[in-house]
């Protein structure tokens, strides 16, 4: 288990192509820092076609399915993930985010301090 956890969240309400775009950029641009990737699928049915997109093939990630009886927005998903992975430093990315340069995570990590929060 690595110390840093990159979390990408996509919900049933978002454009599915956002996930494909994120993965394309994630694979192309080197993060520059060792981490685990978690993809949060918010409110998707278990049989949704998003789980079988070819872009997910050969991608090393933690699959996190977040289901609720009502839409509690991204913030509550972030909260549940934070509670479950409280031993990690978490870098959250929403469905419109994706890397655009090499060392994208390293730039944040080198400026991280336990006393403040960084975000894209």
């Amino acid at each position: 288990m690595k110390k840093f956890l990159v979390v990408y969240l996509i919900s049933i309400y978002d454009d599915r192509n956002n996930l494909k775009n994120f993965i394309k950029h994630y694979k192309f641009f080197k993060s520059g820092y060792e981490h685990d990737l978690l993809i949060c699928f918010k409110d998707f049915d278990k049989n949704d076609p998003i789980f079988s997109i070819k872009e997910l093939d050969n991608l090393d990630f933690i699959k996190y399915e977040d289901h609720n009886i009502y839409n509690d927005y991204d913030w509550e998903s972030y909260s549940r993930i934070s509670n479950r992975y409280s031993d990690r430093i978490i870098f959250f990315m929403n469905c419109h985010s994706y890397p655009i340069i090499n060392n994208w995570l390293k730039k944040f990590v080198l400026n991280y301090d336990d006393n403040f929060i960084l975000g894209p």
Side-chain angles (χ1 to χ4, degrees), residues 26-77:
Y26 180 83
K27 286 182 172 181
F28 185 79
F29 292 106
K30 303 296 179 219
S31 71
Y33 204 86
E34 196 171 343
H35 67 280
D36 290 315
L37 172 64
L38 181 147
I39 300 177
C40 176
F41 297 92
K42 183 172 182 62
D43 296 332
F44 284 95
D45 179 86
K46 293 207 181 280
N47 297 318
D48 195 285
I50 197 165
F51 297 115
S52 59
I53 62 170
K54 67 179 176 73
E55 288 80 3
L56 290 173
D57 294 345
N58 302 314
L59 181 66
D60 185 21
F61 72 100
I62 300 164
K63 180 180 175 184
Y64 186 94
E65 294 182 51
D66 194 25
H67 303 284
N68 287 291
I69 47 178
Y70 64 94
N71 180 21
D72 58 4
Y73 306 101
D74 293 356
W75 294 109
E76 291 304 317
S77 295

Side-chain angles (χ1 to χ4, degrees), residues 66-94:
D66 194 25
H67 303 284
N68 287 291
I69 47 178
Y70 64 94
N71 180 21
D72 58 4
Y73 306 101
D74 293 356
W75 294 109
E76 291 304 317
S77 295
Y78 296 150
S79 177
R80 284 186 286 278
I81 291 167
S82 294
N83 288 331
R84 183 166 181 188
Y85 294 93
S86 62
D87 59 332
R88 310 288 290 275
I89 298 171
I90 303 173
F91 185 84
F92 287 107
M93 301 176 82
N94 69 21

Side-chain angles (χ1 to χ4, degrees), residues 3-14:
K3 182 177 181 180
F4 277 83
L5 180 66
V6 172
V7 174
Y8 178 81
L9 185 145
I10 186 162
S11 78
I12 189 74
Y13 309 104
D14 299 316

